Amino acid sequence: MGNRNKIDFWSDFWIEKTSLKISFPRIYSIAVKKCGKIKDFGCWIQGRWAWRIDLRRRLFEWEIPLWNEFRLVLNRAVSVHQCPDSVIWSGTQDGQYIPKAFCSIVASQGTLADPVWGLVWYKFVPPKVSAFVWRAVHLRLPVMLELVKRGIICNDRCLCLFCNLEPEAVNHVLCLYAVVWRAWQRWCSVWNVNLVFPMNVKQLLEVWFAQKIRQRVRGIWRIGIFGFIWIIWIHRNKSRFKGYSYSADQIFNHALL
Ligand SMILES: [Zn+2]
């Protein structure tokens, strides 16, 4: 990303093993701008790189997961802070993205100041899962509310599909939604833990790690929260995109596996 002026956004192999044009032909076909360097597809806003990919039309329902994937791929290439040369995957030999490279890149940027950082990158958790939880803590998941905020979908579609009461926010999906919270509580009751209802994923993580669990099983307890968050997200996606229903029991049973 240091070469924002030189790298061709659609045609060069700068994020994935192939070009964005090849990886995301559908998005490419509806993009307004078909050529240009990386710098032409975004700008810095208050120290953050913001992508700006204009589309010729609104997305069809079935294109949204594709679009989300595209955005995630792009966002992986962006650092938290303005630091133009630190965003490439130079840590990996072929320049290919791997979560571990992502960890060390972000780690080198002073984000360590936030104590939640140490929790998210818990040593026994696969980097892929940690990266996901990190995005959840920072509300960077493609849930409806976040997509509305970014103007990707329109306002009237941001309600949570399951309860139809609240906007589909990251914290709602992963912990506050009643069904999901029941699954959390069930998990905790197995451990004889009484969790206070958290405000958000970050707080849940903090409370989780603060629990006094016997040392022998503490590792399992701590890994559990990552597995649980991951599973809830999988259920949410299956439910949203494939029409599966889900319940607290299903989440719980899946987590036991
Ligand atoms: Zn809901």
Side-chain angles (χ1 to χ4, degrees), residues 180-196 198 204 207-208 211 213 221 224-225 228 252 256:
V180 168
W181 182 240
R182 267 204 300 283
W184 280 110
Q185 282 180 308
R186 217 174 136 191
W187 179 258
C188 290
S189 71
V190 171
W191 288 80
N192 254 330
V193 167
N194 256 325
L195 271 198
V196 276
L204 180 65
V207 170
W208 197 272
Q211 294 301 318
I213 303 287
W221 163 258
I225 189 172
F228 223 83
F252 180 77
L256 282 186

Side-chain angles (χ1 to χ4, degrees), residues 135-220:
R135 290 211 308 270
V137 167
H138 292 88
L139 310 181
R140 292 201 196 162
L141 297 180
V143 293
M144 293 302 146
L145 183 64
E146 295 303 316
L147 297 179
V148 166
K149 278 192 207 161
R150 284 159 206 171
I152 294 163
I153 56 171
C154 65
N155 225 343
D156 57 357
R157 296 197 13 230
C158 87
L159 273 193
C160 163
L161 270 190
F162 309 117
C163 66
N164 248 314
L165 297 170
E166 306 261 348
E168 198 202 43
V170 172
N171 293 321
H172 181 79
V173 169
L174 295 179
C175 61
L176 307 184
Y177 170 42
V179 168
V180 168
W181 182 240
R182 267 204 300 283
W184 280 110
Q185 282 180 308
R186 217 174 136 191
W187 179 258
C188 290
S189 71
V190 171
W191 288 80
N192 254 330
V193 167
N194 256 325
L195 271 198
V196 276
F197 193 65
M199 303 285 289
N200 50 42
V201 175
K202 184 179 177 188
Q203 199 185 74
L204 180 65
L205 205 64
E206 287 163 348
V207 170
W208 197 272
F209 271 72
Q211 294 301 318
K212 292 195 170 59
I213 303 287
R214 274 175 299 140
Q215 195 176 355
R216 208 159 49 83
V217 287
R218 196 178 294 151
I220 302 171

Side-chain angles (χ1 to χ4, degrees), residues 26-27 30-32 53-64 67 147-148 151-158:
R26 186 86 201 167
I27 304 295
I30 57 176
V32 173
I53 319 290
D54 295 322
L55 301 177
R56 286 190 283 114
R57 56 166 171 78
R58 288 237 326 254
L59 293 164
F60 296 122
E61 187 75 31
W62 63 269
E63 289 171 329
I64 292 174
W67 174 247
L147 297 179
V148 166
I152 294 163
I153 56 171
C154 65
N155 225 343
D156 57 357
R157 296 197 13 230
C158 87

Side-chain angles (χ1 to χ4, degrees), residues 9 33 40-43 49-55 67 74:
F9 180 80
K33 218 185 282 179
D40 304 322
F41 288 84
C43 57
W49 179 257
W51 291 108
R52 203 197 146 112
I53 319 290
D54 295 322
L55 301 177
W67 174 247
L74 286 185

